[in-house]
Structure formats: C-alpha cells, structure tokens
Amino acid sequence: MSSQYHDAPPRFSLPPPPVTNTPLEFMPTHDLSFWDSDVTPGCTVSLDAAVSFKDGYPSLRIDLPAGLPAGTVVKVGTTGAAGKGQPRIPFNWDLQRFSFALRSTNAAIMQTGGMIYLGNSDYSSFWSGFLNALHYGGSAATDTVMFVDNAWWVPKLATPLDCEGTPTAQNLSRGKFTVQLTAATTQPETIWLGMLAALPKRKLPTVILSFDDGYASWDTYLMERLKYYDLPASFAIVTSLLGKSDYMSAERMKARFDDPSRLFDFTLHQSVHDNVAVQGSAQYVTALQVGRDQMRAAGIGGDGPSHHAWVESLWTNTAIDAMRAAGFLSARGAGYTAERGFDQVFFSGNDKDAYILNTSMVNLTNDASFAQVQAAIQTAVDDGSFVFVNGHDIVRTPASDYQTSYAVIDELLAWLAGQVAAGALQVVSHSRWFADTTGRVTDRR
C-alpha cells in the first residue's frame, strides 16, 4: 500500500502517530499585541505573511533603518501596559528547552544571536536567556555556520533561563527580544521572528543504535543478537561496498530488511566513502542521490534511504540546503550536546539541526569499554534527550577505531534490554524516531 508520507511505499502501512513535539508558544509571533509597544526608535514591527516559519502563520518582521551603529541594541516587545499581550508561561515549566526561530537579511550584523527577557513591568524580576549564533556552527569542514542570510536559525537552550529576583508566571507582564548589532547597518535590514516557545520533554530518553558502512559481521553476528534482545538498530550503507570482501551483499541487506521482526532499519552513508570536504558539497549530495537510488533498486523501501550519516561527521550548510531540496529528511553528525539531543522542530521543516543529529561522546570503538559507553548514554538519559550510539565492524579482538568487540556489544545489548524492560529508556531505529516525531509512517521498530 502506498502512502503520502513516503517517497517509496512501506511494507506495512500504519496510520501516522500524533505529532507530540509541538512547541508551546508563550509570545505568539502572529499577534502584534505581544510585540508592538517596546520597539527600538527608528525600527518598525509588523506581521509578514510572505515569510512564514510555520505554514499558515505570519512571522514577526522588524525593519531596521540604515545608519544604526555597531553596538545598537535592537529590541521588540511589550511594555506590559494594560490591554497588551503578556507572556503566557507554561505551567510548571523548568525554564529549559527554550527555543526560538530567527532569520535576517544580514546575519553578519547579529552574530551574537539574540536574547529573550521575560519579567514584570519594571524588570526588577526577570528570566533571560542568551543564544549565540556562533555556537551552532562547527565541524572540521568549511561552510558550517548555521545562521546565514535569509534562512531560519532555530537554537535551543539546554540550561534554564537565568533568573533575577523571583519571577513567577503570575507576575509576568513583559516580554522582549533583543539583539546587539555587531556591525553597523549600511542599508535597511530586516529581522524575522518565527517562534518563541518551550519545547516539550520526550516521553522517554531515547537511544538509537547505529552502525556504518555495511559490514558482514552485522549479518553474521550482530543482527541475531538484536533479535534475541528485541532491540532495533539502524545500519548506514556505503552502497559501493556491498558485495565486497567483509561486507554484506545487497541480497543479504534486502533479506534482513524483510525480516518479520522489522528491527533492521537501513539508512544511507554514501554511494562512495569520501567526506564532503573531499568531494565538495554539490558532488557529495549527487553521490547521496546515487546511493539512495541504489538502495531503492535493491528493494529498501520506506524512509531509511532518505536518512543520512555524514561521512566522517563532516557537514556543510550548502550540502544541507541541497539535501533538503533533494528530499532527504535528516542526517547524523558526531558529538553530543543537549541542544541537539532535543527533538528538532520538525513541524515547520525549517530546523536545520535535523541534519546534524548527534551521537554520544563515547561510541563503539576498539578502546571504548562498556562502562564508558554506558556513562555516555546515561548523560543523554539524564538530559531527557535522544542520542545515537554509533559503531562499525564487530570482531572478537578489535584493533582499530572502526571495530568493536563481541564482549562490549553483548554487554551493551543486555544492559539496554534491561533498561527498556525497566522503563528507563527506549531503543528505536532512526526511521522510527523520525516517524514518531513528525507523524510520518514507517514499519520499522
């Protein structure tokens, strides 16, 4: 049965689950009464239906004149006067997981990213949160700054908002967004806000077991143990390696994909195995499209081939834009942060962090003990996050970073199964996590 949620039909069609990660806006950007009474002189604020972060909702538009000097604090908000909108703080919010959507015609003038204030009318008591645009760049490749001209940037705050005095939801009457310009405006510029909201917590901390390249040991050792413990995993394939010595064949990949357990989720690593710095962004994404086509031709349906594991965890902003245009859904990088372990704001499709999903700080290498991997997972569990735990080949005596011992795998799987049984966390595949977050359809576990 075909489905509108797939670029290829799933083996089983199930109704999409409800999307459970919708942010709760406490200062709606489609309502001027929250914003139009405390604006930097010379600037104007309006609603802009032509630039939307969420379908059907205008963004809040702030127009800056030419001639504002560097250091100017651009602000928009409410004075708390009678009849004006007031921040509506979620009940019992722990002040974590604050998120907003920001866009500018000139990202270079606002690299400090912005700050939100929530407080009483004279700001003797307030909460505030600072978000640095430069924090959201970063891999060893070039072209990795996420805050760029005329594109949405969606940061998340991992730590609670700073508190001065004793603000409460009951005494809040003001809200304000500010950004200090890092350069003068030599021509008129525009800032758009698309959302100021609290992200909901995950129902359970989530582990995604992922393995790269396509090793034969997955078929001969790992997958039977995953079935024994009833744990799903995702397997990122380099399609040019299929059928080579020590690697799975395309036929075995298809057989495992068709396993009635639905535990095995096949995603895409590449058609070749060169990173984006070597290939360049355009060629890299072309090679991704070749690999996806090859996986489809081998009979791998569903969303899996549209999820990507960056080769050597190098990524670029240009490649992300091209992947989005080509219909890829998400991608995994390396290095855990709580911000990137929050569910991304998929409801809009504009959150580029969906293409830099993070792995635990300790992964399945030859020198990683079970205790180290366990501790790295526990960090994400304590954050209420999701995290990828990534490995490659499985051997008896590992000798390289791309090998993990039978012993570590066995101990890890047994422990994870116990944690799942105890209700402490869940283990799902990449495709399952994405489907549950976005309301898509998948038959993967």
Side-chain angles (χ1 to χ4, degrees), residues 74-265:
V74 174
K75 64 180 178 178
V76 58
T78 176
T79 62
K84 290 295 181 181
Q86 297 179 350
R88 298 167 185 172
I89 302 301
F91 178 75
N92 206 29
W93 183 30
D94 64 4
L95 302 182
Q96 290 183 296
R97 298 170 180 263
F98 167 63
S99 184
F100 75 95
L102 177 66
R103 176 173 172 156
S104 174
T105 52
N106 187 354
I109 68 172
M110 46 191 305
Q111 283 300 309
T112 50
M115 180 174 284
I116 183 72
Y117 290 92
L118 304 168
N120 57 8
S121 59
D122 63 1
Y123 279 110
S124 59
S125 299
F126 61 84
W127 293 312
S128 64
F130 171 72
L131 293 141
N132 188 339
L134 295 177
H135 177 69
Y136 288 83
S139 80
T142 59
D143 180 28
T144 60
V145 174
M146 295 299 288
F147 187 34
V148 297
D149 294 355
N150 293 305
W152 288 107
W153 171 57
V154 190
K156 296 94 184 168
L157 191 67
T159 56
L161 298 174
D162 292 334
C163 175
E164 182 165 318
T166 54
T168 67
Q170 288 71 33
N171 70 15
L172 288 181
S173 59
R174 287 185 80 165
K176 180 171 64 175
F177 167 80
T178 69
V179 63
Q180 186 172 22
L181 301 183
T182 54
T185 57
T186 59
Q187 60 184 16
E189 304 287 1
T190 301
I191 299 169
W192 292 270
L193 297 175
M195 174 193 69
L196 282 96
L199 296 174
K201 294 181 179 179
R202 290 195 61 75
K203 292 180 179 179
L204 276 174
T206 299
V207 174
I208 302 172
L209 296 171
S210 62
F211 298 86
D212 289 353
D213 297 345
Y215 290 97
S217 62
W218 301 350
D219 187 35
T220 60
Y221 187 89
L222 177 59
M223 289 174 169
E224 288 304 308
R225 279 157 175 77
L226 290 168
K227 289 179 69 173
Y228 176 78
Y229 289 110
D230 197 33
L231 294 173
S234 295
F235 301 92
I237 298 293
V238 178
T239 54
S240 62
L241 296 178
L242 289 170
K244 293 190 175 182
S245 177
D246 296 327
Y247 292 91
M248 294 181 74
S249 66
E251 293 75 18
R252 289 306 302 164
M253 176 178 67
K254 178 62 163 61
R256 288 297 190 176
F257 177 77
D258 288 338
D259 190 284
S261 69
R262 296 174 292 120
L263 291 172
F264 309 129
D265 175 39

Side-chain angles (χ1 to χ4, degrees), residues 366-436:
N366 64 313
D367 58 356
S369 68
F370 162 68
Q372 290 172 315
V373 177
Q374 181 187 42
I377 293 172
Q378 193 61 51
T379 295
V381 169
D382 292 344
D383 287 332
S385 178
F386 71 86
V387 66
F388 285 76
V389 178
N390 192 53
H392 293 79
D393 198 6
I394 318 297
V395 300
R396 186 172 301 280
T397 305
S400 80
D401 283 348
Y402 297 102
Q403 294 178 330
T404 309
S405 72
Y406 295 161
V408 168
I409 287 292
D410 288 352
E411 195 168 5
L412 174 63
L413 297 185
W415 176 72
L416 285 173
Q419 294 295 295
V420 170
L425 54 80
Q426 65 176 352
V427 179
V428 301
S429 69
H430 190 157
S431 288
R432 177 79 268 163
W433 167 79
F434 189 88
D436 287 347

